[in-house]
Structure formats: C-alpha cells, structure tokens
Amino acid sequence: MTSTAPAATAPADTDARSVTDPQSPEERTGARTQEAAALIAQAQSRIDTLDDRIIGLVQERMAVSAVIQEARITSGGRRVNLSREMEILGQYRDALGKPGTSLAMTLLELCRGRV
C-alpha cells in the first residue's frame, strides 16, 4: 500500500525576511492601508518604549517597597500597612476608574514581596 501524503520537506533556500519577519506591516498591525500601517507601527513603537519605562518604574517601586517593609519589620511592625494600601487603591481608582483599582491591586501584590 502506498501513502498519498506528501513528504514534509523544508524549502532548499528561504530568504531572511520570511524567516525573521513572515508578516507584512499591514498583517502585523491589522491595518488595511500602508499609511495606516505606518501610523500604527509608529504608535506601537511608542507604546513599546512606554511599556519599557513602566516596567522599570514598577521594578523601582518594588525595590522602594522592600526597603519600607524591611524598616517596618525591623522596628517590630507588620510588613504591610493596610491603611496605606487603601489610600493607594483610592488614588488609582480616582485617577483611572474601576480598572485603576485592579491595576493598584496588582502593583501592591507585586510590591509586597515574598512572604
């Protein structure tokens, strides 16, 4: 009995663009025109830069929070100050609405460190 399925073979030569970037700018951005794709790509690049800064700030916040927690514990206090956390939750909620509360909770969780 002979198989009718084609043998899986890799192309003999592939250009570098298809290996490293198989999608066109329009496919990557979801745009329907080159002009829109260019605008979206530029804005996405800006978002990537902002995300890098946000991640850096969160890491800095985590380090500062660790210092505060260590000082509390060393002085005989508790690691977490719930009234301070409520202030932070309110600040984020007031600035960003209900999703701000979720964001603040995530930040607080990240900054509490390991128990």
Side-chain angles (χ1 to χ4, degrees), residues 56-66 88 92 107-108 111:
L57 289 170
V58 169
Q59 290 171 331
E60 183 178 350
R61 189 186 195 288
M62 290 169 67
V64 171
S65 184
I88 293 166
Y92 275 77
L107 282 171
L108 291 170
C111 293

Side-chain angles (χ1 to χ4, degrees), residues 21-84:
D21 188 9
Q23 295 179 324
S24 70
E26 292 83 3
E27 290 171 324
R28 277 194 310 277
T29 63
R32 301 277 183 191
T33 66
Q34 288 183 348
E35 294 80 17
L39 176 74
I40 292 168
Q42 184 178 11
Q44 287 174 336
S45 177
R46 177 75 175 126
I47 285 175
D48 291 345
T49 299
L50 290 169
D51 284 343
D52 288 344
R53 288 174 50 197
I54 291 167
I55 290 167
L57 289 170
V58 169
Q59 290 171 331
E60 183 178 350
R61 189 186 195 288
M62 290 169 67
V64 171
S65 184
V67 169
I68 292 168
Q69 290 173 46
E70 181 64 29
R72 278 195 193 119
I73 292 167
T74 301
S75 71
R78 299 179 68 185
R79 183 175 57 87
V80 175
N81 180 343
L82 296 178
S83 63
R84 174 66 177 146

Side-chain angles (χ1 to χ4, degrees), residues 95-107:
L96 303 172
K98 186 176 178 181
T101 304
S102 297
L103 177 59
M105 285 298 296
T106 299
L107 282 171

